């Protein structure tokens, strides 16, 4: 199956912002959380086991994070940082999406989120044991460890 063209990806990113605006400004939600976990579309771009693209949305850690960061930018642009959040699942095996070493990818993502959106409502990190996931071999790399690791 061929990969979606960049124009189509940009359209999906725009739709994330539109959906967030509708939820907050029309439906009265307090905020929105982008579901970037469990092998859902944003997670598929992030994970090297599912993202085999060779363009600006694949390959490197930075390129694989691009879709999620651009989706968050669209959401934040639509509703503001304090009403935007993100859910991720670095160690989850649900939907067969689990990198051998998620620390570099998710540390980069967290660092970029901190830099770009310092007032983001929250980052919801799914527990390593959720849905049959297995945590990191090095227990110092935990949910809190991602944030600490991203500072180095």
């Amino acid at each position: 199956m061929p990969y979606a063209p960049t124009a189509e990806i940009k359209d999906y990113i725009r739709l994330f912002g539109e959906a967030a605006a509708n939820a907050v400004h029309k439906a009265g939600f307090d905020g929105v959380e982008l579901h970037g976990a469990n092998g859902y579309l944003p997670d598929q771009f992030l994970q090297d086991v599912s993202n085999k693209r060779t363009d600006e949305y694949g390959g490197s850690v930075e390129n694989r994070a691009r879709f999620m960061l651009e989706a968050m930018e669209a959401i934040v642009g639509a509703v503001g940082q304090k009403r935007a959040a993100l859910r991720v699942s670095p160690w989850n095996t649900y939907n067969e999406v689990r990198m051998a070493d998620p620390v570099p990818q998710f540390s980069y993502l967290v660092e970029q989120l901190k830099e770009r959106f310092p007032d983001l409502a929250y980052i919801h990190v799914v527990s390593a044991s959720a849905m049959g996931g297995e945590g990191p071999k090095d227990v110092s790399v935990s949910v809190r460890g991602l944030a600490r690791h991203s500072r180095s």
Side-chain angles (χ1 to χ4, degrees), residues 139-151:
V139 293
S140 69
V141 180
S142 61
V143 170
R144 296 188 199 289
L146 280 178
R148 282 194 303 273
H149 188 271
S150 70
R151 289 185 208 138

Side-chain angles (χ1 to χ4, degrees), residues 96-113:
E96 299 178 9
V97 177
R98 168 62 158 76
M99 300 170 72
D101 182 10
V103 173
Q105 184 68 62
F106 285 88
S107 294
Y108 174 79
L109 178 66
V110 169
E111 183 62 37
Q112 289 299 304
L113 291 167

Side-chain angles (χ1 to χ4, degrees), residues 38-57:
N38 301 354
Y40 288 19
L41 183 63
D43 194 32
Q44 288 178 30
F45 274 91
L46 200 61
Q47 302 272 351
D48 64 5
V49 294
S50 54
N51 184 343
K52 302 301 181 188
R53 299 180 72 99
T54 57
D55 63 4
E56 66 189 283
Y57 288 97

Side-chain angles (χ1 to χ4, degrees), residues 34-119:
L34 174 61
H35 196 321
N38 301 354
Y40 288 19
L41 183 63
D43 194 32
Q44 288 178 30
F45 274 91
L46 200 61
Q47 302 272 351
D48 64 5
V49 294
S50 54
N51 184 343
K52 302 301 181 188
R53 299 180 72 99
T54 57
D55 63 4
E56 66 189 283
Y57 288 97
S60 69
V61 165
E62 296 81 8
N63 284 355
R64 287 194 314 270
R66 186 180 315 277
F67 181 86
M68 196 172 295
L69 291 168
E70 288 180 357
M72 286 304 300
E73 186 175 309
I75 291 167
V76 165
V79 301
Q81 292 184 43
K82 293 181 180 182
R83 291 180 172 225
L86 174 64
R87 175 185 174 116
V88 294
S89 57
W91 296 281
N92 201 324
T93 57
Y94 189 70
N95 282 334
E96 299 178 9
V97 177
R98 168 62 158 76
M99 300 170 72
D101 182 10
V103 173
Q105 184 68 62
F106 285 88
S107 294
Y108 174 79
L109 178 66
V110 169
E111 183 62 37
Q112 289 299 304
L113 291 167
K114 288 188 323 185
E115 183 179 309
R116 297 175 189 207
F117 314 114
D119 292 326

Side-chain angles (χ1 to χ4, degrees), residues 16-30:
F16 276 110
E18 186 177 312
N22 288 340
V24 171
H25 303 303
K26 292 184 179 177
F29 288 24
D30 292 331

